[in-house]
Amino acid sequence: MGSGFTRTLYDLYVTDPARPARPPRSETREVVELRSIRQSHPELADAIDMQIELLELHRRVQGRVPLPWFELNENIVRTHNGSGERLLVRQIADVMRRHGALEDADYQRIQTIGRDMSLLDYAERWYRSGVHRHSVAAIGLPHHQISTEAHENPDEALDQVLALAMRPWMTRCAEAMQPRTELALWTRSHCALCGSEPDFAVITPAAERHLICGRCALRWKFEPLTCPYCGNSDRSRITSFATPDGQYRVYACDECHRYLKAYDARRATRPVMPVVDSVATLPLDAYAMQRGYS
Ligand SMILES: [Zn+2]
Ligand SMILES: [Zn+2]
């Protein structure tokens, strides 16, 4: 790992709290979509308002995301100066607590972690937990030593905050990898870039199902009726249902009892937007959970 890398991450996260805020730019398409969902679904207002604030935090750092770096591994979180990252972690925790998405005790703990250097250790552990036991050997990436210790002592609240803090950088890498033709050869159920699980999917106009990584938002084609979590491909053991408007579909596995939501882009007027669509489908989560899936 060269020093260029650490400089890269440093640049991304350096935010100067003393600098006056920039005037607001025009709203992104995602924010426009979220506001329109808020109109038709006032019951989602809390989740939507939180997401809009998180998108704004991301947008502030996204302007500084430099050239993509393909050497993605746990070292991405090692930086000689993590002050900017620590600030972002604390800001995200603030937003989440204000919207009731973080318990007080978790908030206090994360603020403390966000102030000291142990954050880097936690961030590394978070990254390794996403890599799972998969090897991220795809597409010319070097093989990395995968540790399983990351599965011990999960800390969901902190992991959620770290995932949001790393997202601008992770998605920038995924955007750079997305057009590579080798990606079409990837047939596994975990992400070719970061090794994480998919947490959303899109049905393309050609009726293919593409999985979307929960951490970096990379998309890749996967068999339409195989459970990406356990590999079950027995159609009679996959329960699939659509929303009345046909916009979303749920694939629920009767083997491992997990489910995956998908955006059906076949008749849609806009492309899939994972951040927007995961909020818009919160009622589907409730429905799937009531039916015993998780
Ligand atoms: Zn990924
Ligand atoms: Zn399954």
Side-chain angles (χ1 to χ4, degrees):
M1 186 184 86
S3 64
F5 174 79
T6 45
R7 226 175 8 252
T8 298
L9 191 66
Y10 176 76
D11 291 343
L12 165 59
Y13 282 114
V14 167
T15 48
D16 180 357
R19 194 186 305 169
R22 287 187 207 155
R25 279 167 284 179
S26 62
E27 291 193 329
T28 62
R29 207 165 161 197
E30 284 174 322
V31 172
V32 171
E33 281 293 332
L34 284 169
R35 288 201 198 285
S36 113
I37 294 167
R38 196 183 194 284
Q39 292 263 309
S40 46
H41 293 278
E43 75 279 10
L44 298 177
D46 264 351
I48 288 172
D49 291 345
M50 181 174 85
Q51 203 52 252
I52 289 173
E53 283 193 52
L54 291 171
L55 281 170
E56 177 52 34
L57 282 178
H58 283 169
R59 195 166 68 163
R60 280 187 221 159
V61 296
Q62 243 150 9
R64 297 167 199 185
V65 177
L67 286 174
W69 211 264
F70 283 112
E71 226 176 306
L72 185 58
N73 59 55
E74 64 252 39
N75 289 327
I76 62 169
V77 296
R78 275 194 191 281
T79 160
H80 60 281
N81 184 335
S83 64
E85 185 187 3
R86 294 204 295 277
L87 177 64
L88 185 59
V89 162
R90 298 204 306 274
Q91 287 172 329
I92 287 168
D94 279 337
V95 170
M96 289 176 71
R97 186 180 62 163
R98 249 187 300 114
H99 291 280
L102 211 53
E103 304 279 339
D104 261 355
D106 287 330
Y107 172 79
Q108 299 300 347
R109 195 166 41 84
I110 291 167
Q111 287 294 316
T112 306
I113 291 168
R115 274 187 218 101
D116 70 46
M117 292 307 286
S118 68
L119 177 66
L120 299 179
D121 298 329
Y122 284 104
E124 259 195 82
R125 184 193 56 82
W126 166 81
Y127 183 79
R128 285 199 306 263
S129 74
V131 174
H132 259 338
R133 292 177 182 85
H134 310 307
S135 61
V136 189
I139 317 188
L141 296 174
H143 243 294
H144 298 301
Q145 198 79 42
I146 307 303
S147 160
T148 52
E149 77 195 68
H151 293 274
E152 289 152 25
N153 309 315
D155 182 339
E156 278 178 31
L158 179 61
D159 284 356
Q160 237 186 322
V161 172
L162 287 172
L164 287 163
M166 296 304 291
R167 196 169 168 88
W169 197 81
M170 303 274 288
T171 54
R172 182 70 189 88
C173 291
E175 280 166 19
M177 187 187 228
Q178 193 69 63
R180 292 175 71 169
T181 50
E182 303 96 307
L183 195 55
L185 305 174
W186 187 251
T187 57
R188 312 288 290 272
S189 61
H190 60 269
C191 176
L193 177 62
C194 75
S196 299
E197 288 183 334
D199 76 345
F200 212 83
V202 56
I203 303 164
T204 69
E208 294 174 356
R209 185 177 66 168
H210 291 207
L211 304 180
I212 302 174
C213 176
R215 286 189 171 180
C216 74
L218 188 79
R219 298 174 204 173
W220 68 99
K221 187 179 164 183
F222 191 71
E223 286 167 45
L225 282 169
T226 296
C227 171
Y229 302 117
C230 74
N232 165 35
S233 59
D234 177 355
R235 281 174 183 228
S236 69
R237 304 282 292 151
I238 300 277
T239 303
S240 173
F241 52 91
T243 51
D245 60 8
Q247 205 176 3
Y248 297 104
R249 177 161 284 280
V250 172
Y251 304 90
C253 176
D254 296 310
E255 284 297 327
C256 70
H257 303 286
R258 293 186 65 181
Y259 70 94
L260 179 73
K261 298 179 292 185
Y263 178 74
D264 194 336
R266 283 175 291 188
R267 287 178 303 275
T269 52
R270 61 156 173 89
V272 62
M273 297 176 176
V275 169
V276 174
D277 291 311
S278 55
V279 175
T281 50
L282 286 173
L284 271 182
D285 292 311
Y287 184 72
M289 286 178 208
Q290 275 163 16
R291 298 179 67 167
Y293 301 107
S294 62

